[in-house]
Amino acid sequence: MKNLDFAAAFDASPNPYVVMTPTFVILHANAAYLRVTGRALASIVDRSMFDAFPSTPDEHGSDESGMLLRESLERTVRLAKPDLLPLIRYDIAIDTPQGKVLDRRYWSATHTPLLGDDGRVLYVMQHTEDVTELQTLRQQQRVNDDLSQHDPQQTQQRLLQRAGALQEQNRLLHLEADLMRSLFAQAPGFMAFFRGPRHVFEMANTAYEALVARSGLVGTPLHEALPELQGQGLFELMNEVYATGKARLLAGRAVWLRSHDRPALEERFLDAVLQPVVEADGSVSGIFLQGHDITEQKRAQDELQRHREQLEHLVAERTQALRRSEEERLAMQAALHQSQKMEAIGKLTGGVAHDFNNVLQVIAGNLQLLRQASLEDAKTQRRVDSAMRGVERGAKLASHLLAFARKQPLAPVVLNVGKLVRNLDDMLRRALGETVELETVVGGGIWNTLADPNFLENALLNLAINARDAMQGRGKLTIEAGNASLDDAYAKMHSEVTAGQYVLIAVSDTGSGMDESILQQVFEPFFTTKAEGHGTGLGLSMVYGFVKQSGGHVKIYSEVGHGTTVKLYLPRSHEAELAEELPTVDLVTGGTETILVVEDDAQVRETVVELLSELGYRVLKAPDAQSALAVVESGVPIDLIFTDVVMPGPMRSPELARRAQALQPHVEVLFTSGYTENSIVHGGRLDPGVALLSKPYRRDDLARKVRHMLSNRRHVVRLEEQVSHLSAESMPADSGSRNRASLRLLVVEDNEEALAAVLELLEHLGHRPHGATSAEAALQALAHGTFDVLMTDVNLPGTSGTTLAHEAIALQPLQVVYATGMSQVPDGVPGALFLQKPFGLAEMDAVLQRTGQPQQHVPASQSGLL
């Protein structure tokens, strides 16, 4: 018995068998079944029993045989019990020389359910017997009996009448059943019938299948067919109706169902009744569900209610708007007048600051020359230092004026305001004193902004000092930082505001407050409510100009006797925060190169010429751009042009720079100004590649800036000469470089010409270099690749080379090489190597040969390479 092949036994049985699914799809039939039906297995498998063996209506159009077969099969599935169909006529199509002909056949069928472990019907097996001959004999016998006992004509007439009546009755019943099925299927409301405690689908109409986005539900328990109903209380409700036999009404019940076009669940609203089906003995055999999907009606009602409320709200708003319209018009008119006034004052103060800075530059330059000439006279040195402090205070006032006029060259970087506010805590406490309580509140997840950190710190310090004075040294100052959004409605009320996301800094005090008349003038330069000699009136004007130039917005709220809140809105930046800068210093050195000074102010020009001459440079001078261009066109070799931005005449300084560099490609251009007029500053930032030294400047600042630019120039010239020489000679790399390992180098140099030359020389040495023009670009390269050596300049735009080096070695274990014109590199990475600009191929190769060897960190002047 262990080796019995049940499949083979099934196929070898002389009795006809066929196996179907609970939905009457044929899965298999044995040879005996195929033989008596005259079919091939492939022609009936996976087809419905009623499709594979369609019944033939009788003479009266009745399909009684098909109906009897279907009812027997459905009883088998519904009751999960065998069902006997003693006699059924089912004609079989047979092949004859004349074609297919229907052969009248009679059958006796037994339908047996095959159950799973859970009692659910998995398959239905039909055992069929052909009883055609037996039925024919019985009919003949009855006919013979009737003929022997009755008049043949009367017997025949009676039989015909009975057969006709029976056929008519069957026809009516069949029509009635078809009508009921059609009405059920086409009913506009959804309907379903569930049998048993597991709520197995017995019937489900088209509307129900459309509602649940499924078909073929018959024979499946509710919790398996619609698992998304779990947790919505509907399974429990069905159990309650089945257990109690009491109907339940659902009115506007929210149900989450799967939609047709996407897997996500969709909320639907239903009106439905759950009606128990009670048998004659009082037991509940199932549940009949009937209802309507009222989702659209519910949404329409909700939308109508929303529109009604919105309409009421709009009416109320419109009523208020009509009352406010005149006030808004007057307010906008006043705002326009205020804006025009502030713009006019800004132009005036910007012009004043320009001339003031030129005066300060003359004074500062001569004082510094006097200091150099009187190094042995301590008394004179003290007087010069005192005078220089006065110049610095004047420069600060001029800087405030330029900030208000939005003409101050800013150096904005991406920064985190929360971190900046926290770092200011100690300085603010010292400025406020012990009798003022300081509270700092920084919101979580604060955005970054693009602003000049030095000007922002100065603005917050000014606001804090103003608040301290308003509180007369006693009270509470609160600084809050967080995220804010200014919407279109707010922007409409404030014409200078662009709607969007901002970083907000609010400074609030508990001081005396201000009335409306003071608030109208509070941002104007030199306006102050303090006693004479206790304030310049430039603090708030500087704050106003700085925020406006940064693309932001300032708003003051104040109430007399209760205090003031100043809110600074700075635009949100989606860029990453700039790393904190490490300070760098360099010795003050001069040189012997030729510098062309272009300055329209004669006193400033002479002072600058003397300062540069004292540093050892050969100095040429010109009073305007036109004259300077004539000097350049004369062919005199010039290393650097030091030119004011604002000068009289038809030619502007940027045009002079462009034409001079076209004639002498290696000439450097350094701009100076106390008022830039947007010629080299746009959007509050210097144009790319522009070098600027703001007036008034110190001798040391001028010396460092000029030396840095000239060192870079010499460096570029030397590199290009070596690249040109190698290209002309077509020299291959020397054997030593070929035998050494190839290094992966990340070279960081903001001068693109120098960078291109260094990369070409490194490739000549057999290395694999990658270039970057800023520390930010270098950090991105480090995040996506691996390098052996970082070769970086120290003076870079944005993050310095020393800061980059510290961050780089935190990311990767690599050797750092500083390629710089500086004589000292503070806060360098221990073990770093140095290349003094200008360097060439031999110096660079010598340093790279030392990479990977233990190094001692020594000053550049002692490295043997400088």
Side-chain angles (χ1 to χ4, degrees):
M1 290 300 291
K2 292 183 179 179
N3 298 322
L4 179 60
D5 188 344
F6 289 98
F10 176 82
D11 286 331
S13 173
N15 296 312
Y17 289 98
V18 61
V19 178
M20 297 169 277
T21 68
T23 57
F24 318 129
V25 175
I26 296 173
L27 297 177
H28 191 62
N30 68 353
Y33 187 91
L34 299 173
R35 187 169 52 255
V36 299
T37 58
R39 301 293 181 88
L41 182 61
S43 67
I44 62 174
V45 167
D46 294 329
R47 295 176 63 188
S48 168
M49 170 64 77
F50 302 99
D51 181 36
F53 297 99
S55 57
T56 304
D58 58 16
E59 297 81 1
H60 303 284
S62 174
D63 188 17
E64 183 178 6
S65 297
M67 182 180 65
L68 292 174
L69 177 60
R70 184 180 293 277
E71 289 175 351
S72 176
L73 288 170
E74 290 177 347
R75 281 195 300 273
T76 302
V77 174
R78 184 176 68 251
L79 302 178
K81 295 179 180 179
D83 189 87
L84 176 63
L85 189 61
L87 185 65
I88 181 174
R89 173 188 167 186
Y90 236 91
D91 299 339
I92 299 297
I94 60 175
D95 294 322
T96 67
Q98 291 77 28
K100 287 189 178 294
V101 176
L102 288 177
D103 182 23
R104 178 173 294 184
R105 309 295 292 175
Y106 292 88
W107 310 86
S108 175
T110 302
H111 298 126
T112 304
L114 304 179
L115 308 179
D117 295 337
D118 58 354
R120 179 180 169 187
V121 176
L122 300 179
Y123 308 101
V124 176
M125 184 171 67
Q126 182 189 78
H127 171 218
T128 307
E129 293 184 81
D130 189 348
V131 295
T132 304
E133 294 182 4
L134 178 61
Q135 181 65 15
T136 302
L137 290 174
R138 287 177 177 173
Q139 289 178 349
Q140 186 62 45
Q141 182 63 42
R142 286 196 294 270
V143 170
N144 292 339
D145 291 342
D146 289 341
L147 290 175
S148 64
Q149 297 179 13
H150 304 284
D151 180 67
Q153 292 183 350
Q154 293 180 352
T155 299
Q156 186 177 8
Q157 185 65 29
R158 244 187 341 264
L159 287 173
L160 290 174
Q161 289 176 350
R162 289 176 59 191
L166 182 59
Q167 288 177 351
E168 180 63 19
Q169 185 178 8
N170 286 339
R171 186 180 69 82
L172 293 175
L173 288 173
H174 185 70
L175 290 174
E176 184 178 355
D178 286 345
L179 178 62
M180 294 301 295
R181 281 194 291 270
S182 177
L183 290 174
F184 180 84
Q186 299 180 34
F190 58 83
M191 291 189 290
F193 174 55
F194 308 88
R195 184 173 293 280
R198 299 178 69 239
H199 314 305
V200 178
F201 278 95
E202 190 90 358
M203 300 175 71
N205 71 343
T206 304
Y208 187 89
E209 291 180 344
L211 174 69
V212 299
R214 290 175 178 82
S215 59
L217 298 170
V218 174
T220 306
L222 177 62
H223 72 277
E224 294 181 12
L226 305 177
E228 63 265 29
L229 296 182
Q230 183 68 41
Q232 299 190 45
L234 295 176
F235 293 156
E236 294 78 3
L237 196 60
M238 294 281 286
N239 293 337
E240 178 188 335
V241 172
Y242 188 86
T244 63
K246 295 180 180 179
R248 288 294 301 271
L249 181 66
L250 306 179
R253 177 67 177 260
V255 179
W256 289 89
L257 298 170
R258 192 177 73 184
S259 60
H260 287 275
D261 53 352
R262 53 184 180 273
L265 298 182
E266 181 181 4
E267 187 179 29
R268 310 296 296 179
F269 295 92
L270 309 177
D271 279 348
V273 61
L274 295 171
Q275 179 65 46
V277 177
V278 182
E279 301 296 335
D281 60 358
S283 63
V284 177
S285 60
I287 298 174
F288 180 73
L289 169 67
Q290 187 272 333
H292 295 276
D293 184 353
I294 62 166
T295 302
E296 298 306 322
Q297 177 185 345
K298 177 74 165 53
R299 289 175 179 168
Q301 290 175 347
D302 292 346
E303 186 71 9
L304 181 62
Q305 179 62 27
R306 188 180 68 82
H307 282 302
R308 184 182 294 112
E309 293 174 355
Q310 186 178 19
L311 181 60
E312 293 174 354
H313 180 67
L314 288 174
V315 169
E317 277 191 342
R318 183 57 181 165
T319 302
Q320 294 177 3
L322 290 174
R323 288 197 298 263
R324 292 196 309 262
S325 60
E326 184 62 17
E327 297 175 4
E328 290 179 358
R329 186 184 67 81
L330 294 174
M332 291 180 67
Q333 204 170 47
L336 177 61
H337 175 72
Q338 178 71 6
S339 175
Q340 291 172 337
K341 182 179 73 172
M342 297 295 276
E343 185 68 24
I345 295 174
K347 290 181 179 179
L348 174 63
T349 55
V352 169
H354 171 247
D355 293 335
F356 191 33
N357 275 330
N358 273 344
V359 173
L360 289 175
Q361 184 59 54
V362 173
I363 297 172
N366 283 285
L367 285 172
Q368 290 175 86
L369 290 170
L370 181 59
R371 173 186 286 157
Q372 294 297 116
S374 58
L375 292 176
E376 304 299 327
D377 188 345
K379 187 175 182 180
T380 301
Q381 287 288 315
R382 287 195 299 273
R383 290 175 177 174
V384 169
D385 289 341
S386 176
M388 282 299 298
R389 285 192 291 273
V391 170
E392 290 173 356
R393 286 195 296 273
K396 187 174 182 181
L397 289 176
S399 175
H400 285 181
L401 289 172
L402 285 174
F404 170 76
R406 307 181 214 176
K407 304 299 182 183
Q408 183 71 25
L410 300 180
V413 296
V414 179
L415 56 86
N416 184 287
V417 167
K419 188 183 298 183
L420 182 141
V421 169
R422 292 191 190 96
N423 291 340
L424 280 177
D425 191 82
D426 290 340
M427 187 200 328
L428 291 176
R429 290 186 189 279
R430 288 195 299 271
L432 293 172
E434 297 180 356
T435 56
V436 174
E437 178 186 355
L438 174 64
E439 181 181 6
T440 302
V441 181
V442 178
I446 193 168
W447 298 325
N448 291 336
T449 187
L450 185 68
D452 187 312
N454 294 325
F455 272 86
L456 181 54
E457 289 179 357
N458 198 13
L460 293 178
L461 184 59
N462 271 296
L463 292 176
I465 292 173
N466 278 351
R468 179 200 65 190
D469 294 343
M471 295 184 291
Q472 297 181 353
R474 292 186 177 276
K476 181 178 181 181
L477 178 70
T478 304
I479 300 179
E480 302 173 82
N483 301 327
S485 294
L486 299 180
D487 57 19
D488 292 330
Y490 188 90
K492 184 178 179 182
M493 295 298 297
H494 301 79
S495 58
E496 79 282 6
V497 174
T498 301
Q501 295 178 324
Y502 291 83
V503 177
L504 168 64
I505 308 175
V507 181
S508 304
D509 64 57
T510 57
S512 57
M514 295 176 283
D515 60 27
E516 189 62 31
S517 62
I518 294 177
L519 287 175
Q520 293 296 323
Q521 306 175 74
V522 73
F523 289 130
E524 297 177 9
F526 306 112
F527 175 82
T528 180
T529 58
K530 299 176 183 177
E532 186 175 351
H534 289 79
T536 63
L538 291 175
L540 282 178
S541 65
M542 184 279 293
V543 173
Y544 175 86
F546 159 68
V547 174
K548 290 295 184 181
Q549 189 172 347
S550 301
H553 172 60
V554 184
K555 188 70 175 177
I556 293 188
Y557 303 88
S558 188
E559 187 175 347
V560 176
H562 291 83
T564 300
T565 296
V566 182
K567 293 187 175 182
L568 312 182
Y569 295 89
L570 297 172
R572 177 186 182 181
S573 173
H574 292 276
E575 298 179 22
E577 179 187 5
L578 188 67
E580 186 175 355
E581 192 63 38
L582 295 174
T584 61
V585 294
D586 193 14
L587 296 179
V588 176
T589 58
T592 58
E593 291 90 346
T594 299
I595 299 176
L596 173 59
V597 175
V598 188
E599 171 64 62
D600 63 302
D601 189 304
Q603 288 184 298
V604 174
R605 184 170 63 248
E606 294 307 319
T607 304
V608 174
V609 168
E610 191 169 349
L611 285 173
L612 291 172
S613 299
E614 188 183 76
L615 289 168
Y617 296 107
R618 180 189 178 204
V619 184
L620 305 176
K621 56 187 177 180
D624 54 47
Q626 197 97 18
S627 303
L629 182 60
V631 175
V632 176
E633 290 175 339
S634 70
V636 176
I638 299 173
D639 298 294
L640 182 141
I641 298 176
F642 184 43
T643 176
D644 194 3
V645 175
V646 182
M647 285 188 300
M651 182 179 294
R652 304 178 69 196
S653 296
E655 177 65 13
L656 166 64
R658 186 187 66 79
R659 296 177 66 174
Q661 288 174 331
L663 293 170
Q664 299 189 32
H666 291 297
V667 68
E668 294 287 339
V669 179
L670 175 59
F671 292 97
T672 182
S673 180
Y675 179 54
T676 57
E677 277 191 335
N678 285 336
S679 56
I680 59 172
V681 176
H682 293 88
R685 305 187 69 171
L686 280 174
D687 293 342
V690 172
L692 175 69
L693 184 62
S694 295
K695 294 179 181 178
Y697 46 81
R698 296 180 302 170
R699 171 183 176 273
D700 292 356
D701 296 332
L702 174 63
R704 289 193 185 96
K705 191 73 173 181
V706 169
R707 187 70 259 149
H708 172 69
M709 296 186 69
L710 289 175
S711 295
N712 277 345
R713 176 184 180 276
R714 290 174 55 202
H715 182 54
V716 171
V717 171
R718 184 175 182 188
L719 288 173
E720 290 184 347
E721 287 176 351
Q722 294 207 2
V723 169
S724 177
H725 175 70
L726 290 176
S727 300
E729 298 295 330
S730 301
M731 287 180 57
D734 63 274
S735 59
S737 64
R738 287 197 303 270
N739 293 332
R740 291 196 305 273
S742 174
L743 296 173
R744 296 165 296 182
L745 291 102
L746 177 57
V747 183
V748 191
E749 168 64 63
D750 62 319
N751 188 303
E752 295 184 1
E753 295 173 340
L755 177 61
V758 170
L759 295 178
E760 190 167 348
L761 292 174
L762 287 171
E763 289 176 354
H764 171 76
L765 291 173
H767 300 300
R768 292 170 288 165
H770 176 84
T773 57
S774 67
E776 291 73 25
L779 289 173
Q780 289 185 1
L782 287 166
H784 295 90
T786 304
F787 299 92
D788 303 307
V789 177
L790 170 67
M791 181 185 294
T792 179
D793 196 354
V794 174
N795 289 311
L796 295 172
T799 304
S800 71
T802 53
T803 301
L804 168 63
H806 283 279
E807 293 193 11
I809 61 173
L811 294 173
Q812 295 184 21
L814 43 72
Q815 174 70 56
V816 175
V817 176
Y818 290 118
T820 177
M822 298 176 63
S823 58
Q824 294 182 7
V825 180
D827 300 308
V829 172
L833 300 175
F834 294 88
L835 266 173
Q836 177 74 53
K837 289 183 178 179
F839 57 81
L841 182 65
E843 292 91 341
M844 185 165 56
D845 190 25
V847 168
L848 294 179
Q849 289 186 49
R850 296 170 58 191
T851 58
Q853 303 175 15
Q855 303 295 330
Q856 295 296 323
H857 179 60
V858 296
S861 59
Q862 302 175 24
S863 68
L865 297 173
L866 305 180

